[in-house]
Amino acid sequence: MPTLAVRKSFAVPLIVQMLVCSFLWASAFILLKIAGTSLSPLALTALRGLMGGGLIAAFMAATGHQVLPRGRELRDWIVLGFLQGVVPNALTAYALTQISAGLTSMIQASTPLIVAVLAQALFASERLTLKVALGLATGFTGMVMLVGPAAFGAGEVSLNGVGAMVIVALSYALGNLYVRAIPNPQPMRLALGQQLFSGLPTFAVVIWLGGMSSFAPALDAAVVLLVLGVFGTALPIVLYMNILKKAGPTVGSMNGYFLPPWTILLGFVLLGEPVSLREIVATAIVLAGVAIVSLKGVPFRFPRLRASSYL
């Protein structure tokens, strides 16, 4: 059994990776906010998927990995491309035109709560423990505080934007549950398929509806989109897959806990978006609930110390 010192030596680089990965993903919200003002949500989704998938494919090819799908991978890629690509990317781009980047990421951070609820209904092996129930209740309380103004018709929060992000969180949750059912999943290959089958179908739809002229506004935001493709899509996905490989899905999902603070900070510094005390308190409550649920399967054990170790 590793000593506490050994485990700490491995924990530091993992935490650094999680902070960097979450910062890059949070910056994607800000980049989407900027680019989304001149490009339609569908066109933006198409470009982001194609750029992310293309960069991952190039990385895999350069490192000697096969890029083409094998066996059942094509089906998995299509499903994940829809649930974790087309739906969330398009609706997130739309929501960012309606609500702040901070509120967008905070609602998305509720995905693990939705996963826990659906798992109770879909998997007999999942039982509702006291800790899970406490986490769900805590997270729900935070979400009520977070979306309360929209629910009561307050003018400063768009109900359409909030509703779009709720669908995004649900879509991500269904995608996560689908991944659980894939035998021997290979994260890097799933990321590749998810990005490609997010970009290809939306690209076809955009061409069918408006032709290539629909992508004309991308020329005005070419630099922003390039940065988004590299640093807001491909690079954080590669980092996240490495985090999952080293830490597993339970600990790896904690990466999402850092998104709201990063996004609020970036939105305040770069976009001048105001931050209310209600958002700060609600964020803390939501993240506490998500943490309680997601850490339910991670046991903590103190290292065993023998009497001789004191001598």
Side-chain angles (χ1 to χ4, degrees), residues 199-273:
L200 290 174
T202 50
F203 181 83
V205 170
V206 171
I207 293 298
W208 178 60
L209 292 176
M212 286 299 297
S213 60
S214 301
F215 295 99
L219 297 176
D220 299 328
V223 176
V224 175
L225 291 174
L226 180 60
V227 174
L228 174 65
V230 177
F231 297 100
T233 304
L235 183 56
I237 287 178
V238 172
L239 283 173
Y240 185 61
M241 296 310 164
N242 189 55
I243 291 170
L244 289 177
K245 181 180 179 180
K246 294 180 64 175
T250 302
V251 177
S253 66
M254 294 175 62
N255 185 76
Y257 303 164
F258 301 113
L259 281 176
W262 279 127
T263 310
I264 293 173
L265 178 61
L266 289 171
F268 175 76
V269 173
L270 299 179
L271 301 179
E273 294 182 342

Side-chain angles (χ1 to χ4, degrees), residues 29-43:
F29 286 101
I30 306 302
L31 292 171
L32 283 170
K33 185 82 170 181
I34 297 173
T37 59
S38 58
L39 201 63
S40 71
L42 276 180

Side-chain angles (χ1 to χ4, degrees), residues 2-294:
T3 64
L4 185 60
V6 171
R7 279 182 286 177
K8 282 185 177 181
S9 66
F10 283 99
V12 172
L14 178 62
I15 291 175
V16 171
Q17 288 187 52
M18 294 176 71
L19 286 172
V20 173
C21 179
S22 59
F23 174 80
L24 292 174
W25 258 331
S27 68
F29 286 101
I30 306 302
L31 292 171
L32 283 170
K33 185 82 170 181
I34 297 173
T37 59
S38 58
L39 201 63
S40 71
L42 276 180
L44 184 59
T45 298
L47 290 179
R48 187 180 183 187
L50 291 177
M51 285 191 298
L55 289 168
I56 295 174
F59 172 80
M60 292 178 62
T63 53
H65 292 84
Q66 182 179 342
V67 177
L68 297 177
R70 302 171 299 192
R72 60 168 283 172
E73 281 186 332
L74 181 60
R75 181 184 68 187
D76 296 334
W77 290 7
I78 293 174
V79 172
L80 292 177
F82 179 77
L83 291 177
Q84 297 191 325
V86 175
V87 172
N89 287 343
L91 290 182
T92 298
Y94 166 75
L96 286 168
T97 66
Q98 304 295 312
I99 58 179
S100 70
L103 181 56
T104 298
S105 68
M106 284 187 286
I107 298 176
Q108 183 176 323
S110 67
T111 296
L113 294 174
I114 300 177
V115 170
V117 172
L118 294 178
Q120 303 298 318
L122 296 177
F123 300 101
S125 58
E126 295 283 342
R127 60 189 183 88
L128 188 63
T129 64
L130 179 60
K131 180 178 288 188
V132 173
L134 176 61
L136 292 174
T138 302
F140 180 76
T141 301
M143 290 301 297
V144 169
M145 291 183 60
L146 192 60
V147 303
F152 290 101
E156 67 270 15
V157 179
S158 167
L159 185 58
N160 289 337
V162 172
M165 286 311 300
V166 170
I167 296 175
V168 167
L170 178 60
S171 187
Y172 274 130
L174 292 175
N176 289 339
L177 293 173
Y178 183 84
V179 170
R180 289 187 184 184
I182 298 176
N184 302 318
Q186 299 183 38
M188 180 67 72
R189 298 188 62 80
L190 292 179
L192 168 65
Q194 172 187 315
Q195 290 299 306
L196 288 180
F197 283 89
S198 166
L200 290 174
T202 50
F203 181 83
V205 170
V206 171
I207 293 298
W208 178 60
L209 292 176
M212 286 299 297
S213 60
S214 301
F215 295 99
L219 297 176
D220 299 328
V223 176
V224 175
L225 291 174
L226 180 60
V227 174
L228 174 65
V230 177
F231 297 100
T233 304
L235 183 56
I237 287 178
V238 172
L239 283 173
Y240 185 61
M241 296 310 164
N242 189 55
I243 291 170
L244 289 177
K245 181 180 179 180
K246 294 180 64 175
T250 302
V251 177
S253 66
M254 294 175 62
N255 185 76
Y257 303 164
F258 301 113
L259 281 176
W262 279 127
T263 310
I264 293 173
L265 178 61
L266 289 171
F268 175 76
V269 173
L270 299 179
L271 301 179
E273 294 182 342
V275 180
S276 67
L277 179 61
R278 176 185 58 81
E279 286 183 326
I280 296 175
V281 174
T283 300
I285 295 175
V286 169
L287 296 183
V290 175
I292 292 172
V293 171
S294 297

